[in-house]
Amino acid sequence: MKIKVAQSYGSCFGVKRAIKIAEDTKNSYTYGPLIHNNQEITRLDKQYNVKLRTNLSDFKIGDKAIVRTHGIEKNELKELKEKNIEVIDATCPFVTKPQQIVEQMSNHGYDIVIFGDEEHPEIKGVKSYASSNVQTVVVVSIDDLKKFYLKDRVAVIAQTTKRVDQFLKITNYLIRRHKEVRVFNTICNATFDNQSAASDLAIESDVMIVIGGKNSSNTKQLLNICLDHCKDSYLIESENELEYNWFKNKKQCGITAGASTPDWIIEKIINKIKTTYSY
Ligand code: F3S
């Protein structure tokens, strides 16, 4: 069985940057998981004493708080600063951008449409930057959009990990119905490059392994793209989840990984496939 990795896969610029910031800071706390990958969070704890905190009230003066890649809500950031906590911002610049756009456009009176998952931390953070004078809606589909009555002037952004084709459907719908639509393409290239490479590889493979956190939105998205082209596509977090049956009578195993997956995890999995399942 041939093993082929996608042209573009794994750790993006924002994740690498956040991990470096955490390693350099040491002895600190991240507010919420730094990235969506539990193994990496455990490694940072063990090797650098960077611990995870999920409760804002646990932070005390003298603590160092690292803001995760997906960002946090505006009022939470304010609260940390007011408590005189040293805040180290590891928010990915591609997430800071939509936060700024939402703040500016809502201040200019545009209703805000966010194409994303309401419960995702990135979206909760981005939404929190909207001024309360305008309507801000979070949608995943045109059906969702139909539930709202929006003003003539609308600004639209997307969650960084969303699919471009779906974003185009939303913008297309808005443009046909509103006098002024300001479209900001906030989908990040890392996601897009990983997605198109995964799609190309899934077309030519008869089994696909997608590596990444099961709570990671972009990893789940990669799995769906792979499943569109290759029915034997599996999402795993570690080499222990690999199953013998997946590789039986297969000619090519394609490998891709989500944007929060560090290289050391990917290497471990590829090695296990090579040594154990590559007949
Ligand atoms: Fe940033 Fe894009 Fe990665 S938004 S965290 S570079 S997937």
Side-chain angles (χ1 to χ4, degrees):
M1 184 183 71
K2 189 173 157 193
I3 296 172
K4 193 167 171 186
V5 290
Q7 285 276 341
S8 168
Y9 66 94
S11 257
C12 57
F13 147 81
V15 164
K16 286 197 176 105
R17 177 178 170 273
I19 291 171
K20 175 89 175 52
I21 290 174
E23 288 177 350
D24 290 347
T25 310
K26 301 183 186 75
N27 311 319
S28 52
Y29 299 92
T30 65
Y31 176 43
L34 184 71
I35 60 171
H36 275 159
N37 191 288
N38 295 333
Q39 291 145 284
E40 183 63 9
I41 286 168
T42 309
R43 187 189 74 91
L44 287 171
D45 184 352
K46 280 196 187 138
Q47 293 183 14
Y48 294 91
N49 193 30
V50 174
K51 301 204 175 297
L52 168 64
R53 267 194 184 155
T54 50
N55 208 335
L56 206 58
S57 57
D58 290 341
F59 284 90
K60 309 266 176 317
I61 296 180
D63 286 346
K64 289 182 195 164
I66 302 178
V67 176
R68 64 193 177 202
T69 44
H70 295 111
I72 58 175
E73 291 178 35
K74 192 178 176 182
N75 60 337
E76 294 177 320
L77 188 61
K78 190 166 162 249
E79 195 179 325
L80 282 172
K81 288 183 176 165
E82 279 171 1
K83 276 175 140 185
N84 281 326
I85 310 288
E86 187 184 341
V87 177
I88 297 113
D89 194 0
T91 309
C92 173
F94 293 123
V95 174
T96 310
K97 191 77 196 157
Q99 291 175 345
Q100 291 166 342
I101 292 169
V102 164
E103 187 163 44
Q104 282 165 11
M105 296 312 289
S106 61
N107 283 338
H108 284 124
Y110 288 80
D111 274 347
I112 305 290
V113 174
I114 301 173
F115 170 49
D117 304 315
E118 185 121 44
E119 290 310 312
H120 192 284
E122 174 190 323
I123 295 307
K124 284 184 178 168
V126 167
K127 189 181 177 195
S128 72
Y129 280 80
S131 129
S132 55
N133 303 332
V134 300
Q135 193 177 183
T136 302
V137 301
V138 181
V139 299
V140 286
S141 64
I142 291 172
D143 282 344
D144 274 359
L145 255 183
K146 286 180 183 163
K147 293 178 204 152
F148 302 102
Y149 179 77
L150 298 165
K151 285 198 298 251
D152 279 347
R153 299 200 310 156
V154 175
V156 54
I157 62 134
Q159 188 171 340
T160 52
T161 45
K162 281 292 175 204
R163 285 170 70 158
V164 176
D165 52 344
Q166 292 172 352
F167 186 46
L168 286 174
K169 283 184 191 158
I170 301 281
T171 56
N172 196 9
Y173 178 89
L174 288 168
I175 286 167
R176 286 165 191 271
R177 282 160 187 82
H178 297 272
K179 283 213 174 78
E180 186 184 345
V181 181
R182 303 283 302 270
V183 178
F184 297 87
N185 181 4
T186 47
I187 294 175
C188 116
N189 282 343
T191 308
F192 185 65
D193 292 349
N194 283 0
Q195 286 177 358
S196 62
S199 165
D200 291 348
L201 186 57
I203 289 169
E204 58 171 82
S205 303
D206 45 12
V207 53
M208 279 295 297
I209 301 298
V210 181
I211 307 167
K214 289 184 179 154
N215 57 349
S216 153
S217 142
N218 82 83
T219 307
K220 282 188 268 182
Q221 199 109 263
L222 276 183
L223 175 69
N224 288 335
I225 288 169
C226 291
L227 281 167
D228 283 347
H229 305 292
C230 170
K231 67 174 174 39
D232 287 320
S233 298
Y234 305 95
L235 166 55
I236 57 167
E237 290 186 352
S238 86
E239 70 280 11
N240 302 329
E241 293 167 73
L242 291 166
E243 287 181 28
Y244 169 82
N245 283 339
W246 298 350
F247 305 99
K248 216 169 149 191
N249 303 324
K250 295 292 195 293
K251 291 192 177 63
Q252 178 168 302
C253 168
I255 299 203
T256 183
S260 5
T261 319
D263 290 345
W264 62 271
I265 294 175
I266 301 169
E267 277 159 26
K268 260 183 158 180
I269 291 174
I270 294 180
N271 274 339
K272 173 118 185 231
I273 297 174
K274 267 187 191 153
T275 53
T276 316
Y277 303 108
S278 188
Y279 310 102

